[in-house]
Every structure is written in structure tokens, then in C-alpha cells.
Amino acid sequence: MSAPIVRFAPSPTGLLHIGNARTALINWLVAKRGGGTFVLRLDDTDVARSRAEFAEAIADDLAWLGIRPDRTLRQSERLHLYDAAVEKLVAQGRLYPCYETPDELERRRKRQLARGLPPVYDRAALKLGAEERARLEAQGRRPHWRFLLDHRTVAWRDLVRGECHVDCASLSDPVLRREDGTYLYTLPSVVDDLDLGITQVIRGEDHVTNTAVQIQLFEALGGTAPAFGHHNLLTTASGEGLSKRLGHLSLKGLRETGLEPLAVAALAVLVGSAEAVRPVLSLDELASLLDLAHISRAPAKFDEAELVALNARLLHMLPLSAVRDRLAALGVEGGDAFWLAVRGNLERLTDAVEWWRVVEGPIDPVIENHAFTAQAADLLPPEPWNATTWKEWTEAVKSVTGAKGRDLFMPLRFALTARDHGPELAALLPLIGGAKACARLRGERA
Ligand code: GLU
């Protein structure tokens, strides 16, 4: 099989959300796994709603996820291709001008429904002669253009959903071009998919019904339709659909709360699939878990609490090399020993800042029984310290003071870290070091 050429085609009308990330990532993983090409196509023919800052945000979000498009294109720069396709379709009699106003169409729809008929466009405009058209145009009416569907059943084997078929006789001829000459999504999408040689169109299942029309359009334009795969959609934990325009669970927002891109990617791809949601160390590993044919048909619920838990599980296994630069940007300079000591206590990477402060100081120790901690300070062994120092020292404190269990460990933890919880002290103590440990046990800020 030839290398896949796929595309992710958002319209830059809002911030990408976790559901868009699902589509983008599935396409990216399919491309990378097959040594193929990933195209970012900005569907910006809706000039009024498309904005440059959203286009930039999309590029930033994809980069954050680890997606580097091989090619980026904007539909607004390709209008000449769509105009050429229109000419071709008009010449074949597959695109015809219609003059109905939205009100007229609505009245017709209501009449059809009242008579128990499906509200399908009746093709009245097809019967207009040149004279009638001229008369309508003289009244100032401009045509919108409909694609004449072939009334047959269109079938395809969906990469996710298996055999699919749509009876096109039950569909209205779709409007491809508006009165003002602007394009609706369908025609530019097909023209671009043909021009780029897209091999697989992988997108959300909200596009299943468009597929039959698009297949007819591919054929009318002299091409062959690519394969199609329609994955299930993500909903919020309460079952609502996600919307780019409403800023639902935006990637930017998730990024700003300090979540790991790999955690977001793992959840976005694995939720609602046959694989258990679990942390992955790389997108390559995620690619090995992706199987389009085993994506569930039911909508998948995206639960932010599940993402936070997954983020923690991921951090607990990440090597320092994966986070070193970001830790440095947070002012955390600890090396491997620090990272291995604290990573098991992190929910988000930024939590490392707190433990770095505990190690570096100064902190104000919390002490109830000064005599006890002062005695413990006297018993600190000489440096160098290592992973067994804590055990040797606490055994010495235990045998001298008689304290044990919680009564032994809690006062020491409070004095050394000013907290009642945290990473293993066996790992923290050598990082804190003799001078600071001794001072804190004596109640001094250090
Ligand atoms: N711009 C369309 C959307 O965001 C693209 C759909 C497609 O992938 O064909 O829904």
C-alpha cells in the first residue's frame, strides 16, 4: 500500500478542543505509522468567522501535541481551484442555479412535512428556462448553486464503521456555492482532497452524511474518492457535545493548567477505543495502540478528572530528560536524584516547584516538640549522605528517644519539610543536605 496522505481540516473560527485533538492525532498517527504525509488545511472560506489568531493558535496547539504538519494550506488562497471545479460541474450539468429565498424554501419544507413527505429540495429550479432566469436576475436575484445528485445508493467501507451506504434519493441536492459567490465547505474540501491526493479522510462521525455527497462529487470531478474513516465524537462528562466556538475544553486551557501533552494525547486517542486509557511515553507508542477498526461506535465521554489522573500516572514514569527543559523554565534545577525523589508525588509538573523549594529552602520548619527535634539534630550522621542515611539516622533517634512509628517520623517530616506529606524522606534527606537539615531541626528558617 502506498504511504498515506491525510489531512486535518479545522476552520480557524475558535480554539481547538480535545475532540479536535482526537481527529488531529488519529490522522497524525496514521501518517507517521505509514511513513506518510500530514497536511494541515485551514478551512477558512467563511471570511466573517475565520480569524488569523485562531489559525496561529491551531498551529501552536498542534506543535504542543507533537504534531508537525508536512504542509499547511489555506482554502482562502485556493479559490481559483474551486472556481475551476464550478465551471467543470456547470458544463456537465451537475451544478445548477437556484433562486429560492430562504423563506420560500422554508414554506416549501413546511408544506412537504404537512403532507407527510420528506423535506427534500424538489429541484424546481432545474426546470427554469433561460427566460425565467433572466426575469429573476432582472429582479436583482442572484443564484445559489446546487449539485445535482445522482439518485442512487452510495456505499463505502468505512475504516471505522465498516460497510456504510446512503440512498442519495433521500437527500436534497446540496448547495455548493452561495448567492454572494462564497463556498460552503463541501466543494472546496473535495477539490483539495483531490488536488492533494488525500488517501484517507479521517474525521468525526458528524460528517458521515456528507460522505455520500462527497463521493459523488469526487467522481463528478473525474477523480476517485479516498478511503473514509469516521471516528466517534467526544462529549463532556455529562454527555454534552463539544464546540470549538464555545471554547469547550480547549487545548490551550488544558495546556495552561499545566497538563502534559502526552497525557492529553493518550486520553484523546484511547478513550472510546478498544485499548485501556493508559499513559504512553511517546506518540510512537500511541501509534502502536491505534486501531481504527476498533474505535467504538458510541460517543466517548471525556472526563477531566480522568485526564488529571492520567497526567499523574504519566509523570510518575517519565524520565528527567522528558521534562528537564520545562523544569528549568520553572526554576527547578534538580537533577536525576531530585526528579526520581519527587515525580511519584506529582499530579502536574508545576507541583515539582513546591518540592524544589522544600529541597532548596528557605522554609520555616514546623515544630511542636523542640527538645525532640534538637535531639534528632544532634544524632544526624556526618556527610556524605546517601539513600540509607535516613534509615540509619531514624534508627538512632528511635533508640535514643524511644519514639517510634508516626511519633518518630511525623515530627521529623514536619521539621524538615514543613508538611505532613510528600516524597520519601530517604530520598529527600540527602538532597536537603546536612546544613539545612540541622538548622530546620533546630527550628531555624533554612
Ligand atoms: N472543516 C471541516 C470541519 O472542521 C472539515 C471536515 C473534514 O474533515 O472533511 O468539520
Side-chain angles (χ1 to χ4, degrees):
M1 220 177 97
S2 57
I5 306 174
V6 297
R7 84 306 192 269
F8 172 56
S11 42
T13 53
L15 294 173
L16 295 186
H17 56 59
I18 182 90
N20 304 128
R22 182 175 181 77
T23 311
L25 282 160
I26 292 176
N27 276 289
W28 173 251
L29 299 177
V30 165
K32 289 304 113 181
R33 197 165 60 183
T37 304
F38 175 100
V39 178
L40 169 61
R41 185 184 90 198
L42 294 167
D43 285 4
D44 58 352
T45 52
D46 183 344
V47 187
R49 283 178 38 223
S50 297
R51 301 236 297 266
E53 65 261 35
F54 289 131
E56 264 165 47
I58 287 169
D60 290 348
D61 287 340
L62 294 184
W64 179 68
L65 286 171
I67 295 177
R68 292 176 311 279
D70 298 294
R71 202 173 156 188
T72 298
L73 46 93
R74 293 182 164 68
Q75 290 196 321
S76 57
E77 293 169 358
R78 300 166 58 83
L79 297 175
H80 57 285
L81 294 175
Y82 316 142
D83 294 348
V86 161
E87 273 180 36
K88 197 164 172 181
L89 294 172
V90 171
Q92 290 170 29
R94 292 297 297 272
L95 198 65
Y96 61 99
C98 303
Y99 295 85
E100 294 90 346
T101 64
D103 275 353
E104 281 163 2
L105 289 172
E106 186 51 29
R107 275 200 301 274
R108 235 181 261 177
R109 244 174 58 83
K110 285 200 176 126
R111 271 202 306 274
Q112 286 170 313
L113 287 171
R115 302 209 323 254
L117 299 170
V120 173
Y121 177 62
D122 59 7
R123 294 184 163 171
L126 252 191
K127 294 164 206 122
L128 294 176
E131 246 171 62
E132 278 160 300
R133 287 214 300 271
R135 188 176 47 79
L136 288 163
E137 303 229 355
Q139 289 171 10
R141 293 219 196 178
R142 289 279 157 272
H144 53 273
W145 297 80
R146 287 187 192 260
F147 177 53
L148 185 66
L149 285 173
D150 195 350
H151 280 174
R152 62 180 163 97
T153 296
V154 171
W156 74 95
R157 180 192 283 273
D158 197 279
L159 300 168
V160 177
R161 302 161 66 89
E163 292 303 333
C164 291
H165 46 86
V166 172
D167 173 10
C168 290
S170 67
L171 303 177
S172 296
D173 289 339
V175 177
L176 301 189
R177 198 175 198 185
R178 300 186 185 89
E179 283 77 0
D180 63 2
T182 59
Y183 289 100
L184 285 103
Y185 143 79
T186 307
L187 176 79
S189 183
V190 170
V191 169
D192 286 336
D193 287 344
L194 263 179
D195 183 56
L196 295 164
I198 297 297
T199 56
Q200 280 123 299
V201 168
I202 303 168
R203 55 190 177 186
E205 67 182 9
D206 48 336
H207 287 289
V208 170
T209 48
N210 295 335
T211 302
V213 168
Q214 292 185 356
I215 289 175
Q216 287 207 15
L217 205 42
F218 275 106
E219 291 168 0
L221 291 172
T224 334
F228 289 90
H230 293 92
H231 63 74
N232 56 358
L233 299 180
L234 299 190
T235 67
T236 62
S238 56
E240 274 169 85
L242 305 179
S243 159
K244 181 141 46 80
R245 264 179 293 160
L246 300 177
H248 251 133
L249 297 169
S250 72
L251 292 179
K252 184 162 178 266
L254 296 173
R255 175 165 81 228
E256 283 169 359
T257 64
L259 291 164
E260 297 302 300
L262 270 178
V264 173
L267 190 65
V269 171
L270 297 178
V271 69
S273 82
E275 293 289 338
V277 172
R278 56 180 180 274
V280 292
L281 288 173
S282 67
L283 290 181
D284 285 340
E285 185 183 343
L286 193 55
S288 71
L289 298 176
L290 175 68
D291 181 352
L292 293 183
H294 283 109
I295 294 178
S296 149
R297 297 284 292 268
K301 281 201 168 132
F302 170 77
D303 182 351
E304 220 174 331
E306 193 182 355
L307 176 57
V308 172
L310 181 69
N311 196 70
R313 283 171 65 201
L314 173 66
L315 286 173
H316 301 173
M317 59 191 235
L318 278 183
L320 177 62
S321 57
V323 291
R324 184 179 288 143
D325 293 350
R326 284 184 300 137
L327 283 179
L330 291 168
V332 176
E333 303 291 344
D336 250 319
F338 170 77
W339 177 245
L340 293 179
V342 305
R343 69 177 182 180
N345 284 75
L346 308 181
E347 197 167 75
R348 295 172 204 256
L349 190 69
T350 45
D351 298 342
V353 172
E354 175 182 358
W355 300 115
W356 181 241
R357 258 187 229 128
V358 165
V359 165
E360 279 290 277
I363 59 163
D364 291 306
V366 176
I367 296 179
E368 258 180 29
N369 181 342
H370 280 270
F372 175 77
T373 54
Q375 211 173 6
D378 291 339
L379 291 166
L380 281 171
E383 288 180 286
W385 288 354
N386 58 33
T388 60
T389 305
W390 167 255
K391 189 156 190 291
E392 288 158 22
W393 174 50
T394 50
E395 267 165 17
V397 177
K398 179 177 169 184
S399 69
V400 172
T401 63
K404 56 181 194 253
R406 237 188 113 73
D407 294 340
L408 170 64
F409 298 122
M410 263 309 163
L412 297 180
R413 180 176 282 282
F414 264 121
L416 290 169
T417 70
R419 283 154 182 79
D420 64 356
H421 67 281
E424 292 286 339
L425 279 165
L428 281 189
L429 187 65
L431 296 169
I432 294 171
K436 273 177 278 176
C438 189
R440 289 179 192 174
L441 289 162
R442 294 188 193 288
E444 293 157 22
R445 180 176 168 77

